[in-house]
Amino acid sequence: MSRGGDSTATVPEADFRSYYGQPVLKPPVWHVPHMPLYLYLGGLSGASSVIAAAARLSGHDRLALAAGVTAFAGAGLGSGFLVAELGRPERFLNMLRVFKVTSPMSVGSWTLAVHGGLTAAGAASAVTGLLPLAGDAAVLAGALTGPVMATYTGVLLADTAVPAWHAARRELPFLFAGSALASAGAVGMLTTPRAEAGPARAAAALGAVMETAAAAVIERRLGLEGEPYQRGKAGLLMKASRALTLAGGLLATVAGRSRTLTAASGLAITAGVLCTRFGMLEAGKASALDPKYTVVPQRERAAGRRLAVVPDQENGSHTP
């Protein structure tokens, strides 16, 4: 009852709370630019190895060479950024002591090690001309590790408790696959004569569509947990990614007409993919720092479970 005897005063609706407004979760401690660049380079290497194998089988030798070298360079540079993120090289070696198929980090560590070796062997053979059969075998084997390399980082993010990442667990592998394919196609366009770069242009356009579609589904399906992708620094990066990737993908369809269009398409897609990687990290940090992205969805799920139990109790079918 309010002061003055007004019995109509109502209690304000309870809102989410955390302990003195502090974050419920610790934000990701991954560093910038180490981790976003590793995510980019790993995807680039994985998709490039698939393009290299397809180009080898279809007779596009110049594209196969460029994609194979790109796959090796991406794996090597990505490993360097990962080691820098970990702080000491032996920490990466420690992750190889066991293999757990249920752990995205364990699967990813072993994939990186095997994929890096295969791309190194394939690129060395292609550049030197030595052991061509062994080199071709390494390229074809790299096409098997490539898809895992391109997508496992999306699974790794989704396997955390970070709200913006975990809620997008269905879409992240597709987003990372599309992003990786677009980046590999873009680099292939920039490093291969236009007459032989047709498959790279097709890969870039397809990847751009896949990434843009997956990002749109994330923002629409997630509701509250999708807000971090649309606000603040992450929102700016994701908007820039969408514009650059779509523009680059559209240009890729006509890039065979001139070097200028090829350069514009490849650079726009590359910039867009990098914005995606940096935007994903920023969105994860923002969702972990704001307690509402943890508390509100938890309460909504709890309320939904209670509503599901009540009809069962009324029908006498609820079991403890």
Side-chain angles (χ1 to χ4, degrees):
M1 182 178 293
S2 65
R3 191 177 304 171
D6 183 7
S7 60
T8 63
T10 59
V11 177
E13 183 178 353
D15 199 1
F16 68 89
R17 291 188 300 273
S18 65
Y19 187 72
Y20 288 100
Q22 296 300 308
V24 178
L25 302 173
K26 289 184 178 180
V29 294
W30 294 335
H31 300 93
V32 174
H34 304 72
M35 202 60 190
L37 287 178
Y38 169 67
L39 297 179
Y40 165 75
L41 291 167
L44 172 65
S45 177
S48 291
S49 66
V50 176
I51 292 177
R56 177 72 68 194
L57 293 173
S58 60
H60 294 80
D61 294 335
R62 291 292 297 273
L63 177 58
L65 174 62
V69 172
T70 300
F72 164 64
L77 292 173
S79 299
F81 279 109
L82 178 60
V83 169
E85 172 68 29
L86 295 173
R88 296 198 302 269
E90 59 268 25
R91 289 179 176 172
F92 176 73
L93 297 177
N94 288 337
M95 292 192 294
L96 301 177
R97 295 173 64 183
V98 296
F99 178 77
K100 293 180 62 177
V101 72
T102 57
S103 169
M105 183 172 292
S106 178
V107 172
S109 300
W110 275 96
T111 299
L112 176 59
V114 174
H115 181 78
L118 291 172
T119 56
S125 176
V127 171
T128 63
L130 299 175
L131 302 174
L133 293 179
D136 288 345
V139 170
L140 295 177
L144 300 178
T145 59
V148 181
M149 186 71 188
T151 56
Y152 95 87
T153 46
V155 179
L156 180 64
L157 296 185
D159 197 46
T160 67
V162 176
W165 296 343
H166 186 69
R169 58 191 177 277
R170 300 176 187 173
E171 295 84 7
L172 281 182
F174 295 98
L175 185 144
F176 275 64
S179 183
L181 186 61
S183 63
V187 174
M189 291 164 51
L190 294 172
T191 56
T192 306
R194 284 181 291 128
E196 289 197 34
R201 291 191 292 270
L206 176 60
V209 171
M210 288 177 60
E211 178 187 343
T212 304
V217 172
I218 287 174
E219 293 183 0
R220 293 181 181 180
R221 185 183 71 82
L222 264 56
L224 176 67
E225 293 158 300
E227 283 185 359
Y229 295 105
Q230 306 172 52
R231 297 183 176 182
K233 186 177 180 180
L236 293 175
L237 286 167
M238 297 305 288
K239 288 182 176 66
S241 169
R242 184 182 300 112
L244 289 166
T245 304
L246 272 179
L250 290 173
L251 286 175
T253 61
V254 295
R257 299 178 182 178
S258 73
R259 294 181 180 177
T260 301
L261 290 175
T262 297
S265 174
L267 293 175
I269 289 175
T270 299
V273 171
L274 285 170
C275 285
T276 299
R277 297 303 200 250
F278 281 85
M280 292 295 300
L281 184 61
E282 292 296 329
K285 289 181 178 179
S287 69
L289 286 171
D290 193 331
K292 76 176 180 181
Y293 297 119
T294 301
V295 177
V296 173
Q298 285 180 345
R299 292 189 175 183
E300 290 177 347
R301 288 192 291 268
R305 287 193 293 268
R306 287 196 297 269
L307 290 175
V309 167
V310 170
D312 290 340
Q313 291 178 331
E314 293 177 350
N315 295 331
S317 59
H318 174 63
T319 56

